[in-house]
Amino acid sequence: MNTPVRGRITAALTDAGLGGALCATDIDTGATVALAADTPVSTASVHKLCLVATLYREAAAGRLDPTTPVDIPAGARAPGPTGLAVMRDAVRLSLRDLASLAVAVSDNAAADILWDHLGLDTVNATMNALGLTRTIAVHNQAGLYATMVADTGDSGPAALVDPAAVARLTVLDPARTNRSTPREITALLTAVWRDEVCAGAWGEELRAVLGVQAWSHRLASGFPFDDVRVSGKTGTLPTQRHEAGVVEYPDGGRYAVAVFTRAASTAATLPAADAAIGRAARIAVDALRNRNTRERT
């Protein structure tokens, strides 16, 4: 990547009080824009991409049926602010509908039912089989929250904006939590869009599921066009805001993008930081599209 592009991406993040790492890949040519793309990162809920991709790869291999219904009792659900985690009654959903919830609203309870059904080892083995050897799950969503409780003790939610308490959180350390690199996450998305994770109807359904996310304040904010489709998955932890996804243009251009950031501020709400993810992604994708234009002329 040329220095001006890297400088513009860095400036977009820095202006919002962020440090970060980014990788953007042209799915069809393999051309890449990278900023610290091989740096290990704590993936947070971005790791749900790995979980859902594994579900559909297992389905394509005939090892499970994603239409299998699951009875979900009202209690003992993983904590979280959305989806089944905040619902009060027992429900029955299929594995693939749980996957849709895990992506659409980052439902931790739905994700943990899938983690329990598939197993951490299966998800890690799937990533390894795809050549993503640095993409590793250490715990499910409940396990992730449990480490935060253990690290903050009796301080409760208030600790998550206390800089001293945040500094103790093991979930922010990629050596001790679910982790990957921006390059490997974009490689996973590239494989999904190239039918290399699973092909045919299962591949189409997997891409459809990854396109249902409700949030538009990060990656999608950089592409505010009715004819540009953005499929993404956010990840959020104290000081960390991430998103990875695929941007598809009407001319057929397809770009996998992963942006991982960490803020200097511990504030829970930082709209400028969310928007900077979209700006950084747009700079990277524009650079890839301009490169393709120059090569055609």
Side-chain angles (χ1 to χ4, degrees):
M1 178 178 68
N2 63 44
T3 300
V5 173
R6 183 182 289 108
R8 290 175 60 210
I9 292 170
T10 300
L13 299 176
T14 302
D15 289 350
L18 303 174
L22 172 149
C23 188
T25 300
D26 186 317
I27 290 173
D28 297 298
T29 70
T32 297
V33 168
L35 177 69
D38 296 307
T39 302
V41 291
S42 166
T43 48
S45 281
V46 171
H47 221 97
K48 289 169 184 168
L49 292 172
C50 308
L51 175 66
V52 173
T54 298
L55 175 73
Y56 278 90
R57 190 172 173 90
E58 291 292 289
R63 290 187 285 267
L64 62 75
D65 180 357
T67 69
T68 299
V70 180
D71 290 312
I72 305 161
R77 294 177 184 172
T82 62
L84 294 175
V86 296
M87 293 180 184
R88 296 174 177 82
D89 299 317
V91 296
R92 192 182 210 205
L93 292 170
S94 68
L95 293 173
R96 64 182 178 181
D97 282 346
L98 290 166
S100 291
L101 281 173
V103 173
V105 293
S106 203
D107 186 339
N108 289 334
D112 271 7
I113 295 167
L114 296 178
W115 280 117
D116 291 344
H117 194 88
L118 292 166
L120 291 174
D121 289 345
T122 299
V123 176
N124 287 336
T126 299
M127 296 303 105
N128 192 66
L130 292 169
L132 310 178
T133 58
R134 303 177 70 189
T135 301
I136 299 169
V138 175
H139 36 227
N140 62 10
Q141 301 305 120
L144 185 150
Y145 272 78
T147 68
M148 295 174 70
V149 172
D151 290 341
T152 56
D154 297 328
S155 302
L160 301 182
V161 294
D162 174 2
V166 169
R168 296 196 300 269
L169 294 176
T170 59
V171 294
L172 305 182
D173 179 1
R176 295 185 287 174
T177 190
N178 296 350
R179 56 188 177 269
S180 186
T181 68
R183 194 182 304 278
E184 288 208 354
I185 291 297
T186 56
L188 172 60
L189 290 166
T190 295
V192 170
W193 259 256
R194 287 181 176 173
D195 274 348
E196 294 167 357
V197 171
C198 54
W202 292 127
E204 291 176 7
E205 186 170 309
L206 171 56
R207 288 187 289 275
V209 168
L210 296 183
V212 298
Q213 180 175 245
W215 319 136
S216 59
H217 59 309
R218 291 184 184 168
L219 185 61
S221 70
F223 306 89
F225 312 110
D226 290 342
D227 57 354
V228 175
R229 177 178 174 81
V230 180
S231 303
K233 182 69 203 75
T234 59
T236 308
L237 288 169
T239 71
Q240 294 189 350
R241 292 163 180 82
H242 315 319
E243 186 159 0
V246 171
V247 181
E248 298 176 271
Y249 278 76
D251 62 6
R254 309 182 297 172
Y255 310 90
V257 187
V259 186
F260 291 83
T261 74
R262 186 155 186 182
S265 171
T266 60
T269 303
L270 288 173
D274 293 322
I277 291 173
R279 285 197 297 275
R282 176 67 180 278
I283 292 167
V285 170
D286 281 353
L288 290 170
R289 289 178 64 76
N290 290 338
R291 181 185 304 177
N292 287 342
T293 298
R294 290 194 301 271
E295 290 174 353
R296 288 195 298 267
T297 59

